[in-house]
Amino acid sequence: MTTERTTPTPLQFLGYSFGRTLPESMQDWVRKDLVGNGAQVRYIARFILPIIPLLLLFLLIPGPLWMSLAMMSLLFIPLVYFSIALMNVYRRHRLLIHGLDPQLINAKAQSRVDRTRDDYERRHGRG
């Protein structure tokens, strides 16, 4: 009797980090990863951490340190900017390819709006 895994193995996690889909038994883990607490931090870390070793190669170029740091920043700053700008698009896409509702991205904000509306209606009534 084999039981389905609900969390990815290290090899599956590596594939997932590079865009592969996980089996259906791991959908709850994927949902928590993409929309749970800390999802934005994990997303940004997965984009930034792999590029750091490549950026450090600029330190091997002969010349003043400021020149290497300037070249690194010319790549690093746009990477951070665009990864943040496209975060919701990418997370929505990941939800969609795993068979989950892409509107889960907005669920936390929508629940906040609903709580505010309910609080207003409770205090002031409908009018």
Side-chain angles (χ1 to χ4, degrees):
M1 181 172 140
T2 60
T3 58
E4 298 265 340
R5 287 186 64 93
T6 57
T7 58
T9 64
L11 190 59
Q12 286 175 320
F13 180 77
L14 186 63
Y16 171 78
S17 294
F18 286 101
R20 298 196 65 178
T21 57
L22 293 174
E24 264 187 61
S25 63
M26 298 180 194
Q27 279 192 343
D28 190 46
W29 184 89
V30 170
R31 184 186 54 75
K32 287 178 184 172
D33 181 59
L34 293 173
V35 296
N37 291 335
Q40 292 89 353
V41 174
R42 283 190 300 274
Y43 165 83
I44 292 170
R46 285 186 190 142
F47 266 85
I48 293 174
L49 291 179
I51 198 75
I52 289 176
L54 295 173
L55 291 176
L56 291 176
L57 291 175
F58 281 105
L59 295 174
L60 299 175
I61 296 175
L65 179 62
W66 69 267
M67 185 68 73
S68 295
L69 294 175
M71 289 187 290
M72 290 167 63
S73 67
L74 282 174
L75 295 174
F76 186 72
I77 292 171
L79 172 75
V80 171
Y81 176 81
F82 284 108
S83 66
I84 291 171
L86 296 172
M87 180 176 5
N88 285 344
V89 173
Y90 181 73
R91 288 172 49 218
R92 228 179 239 111
H93 170 71
R94 296 300 304 268
L95 285 168
L96 193 60
I97 65 171
H98 280 90
L100 297 167
D101 183 14
Q103 291 303 318
L104 288 172
I105 295 289
N106 303 327
K108 194 178 282 188
Q110 185 61 45
S111 70
R112 195 175 323 122
V113 167
D114 291 343
R115 280 195 313 270
T116 304
R117 184 182 339 101
D118 292 343
D119 184 47
Y120 177 84
E121 288 178 356
R122 186 175 37 79
R123 286 183 188 186
H124 303 289
R126 292 183 175 226

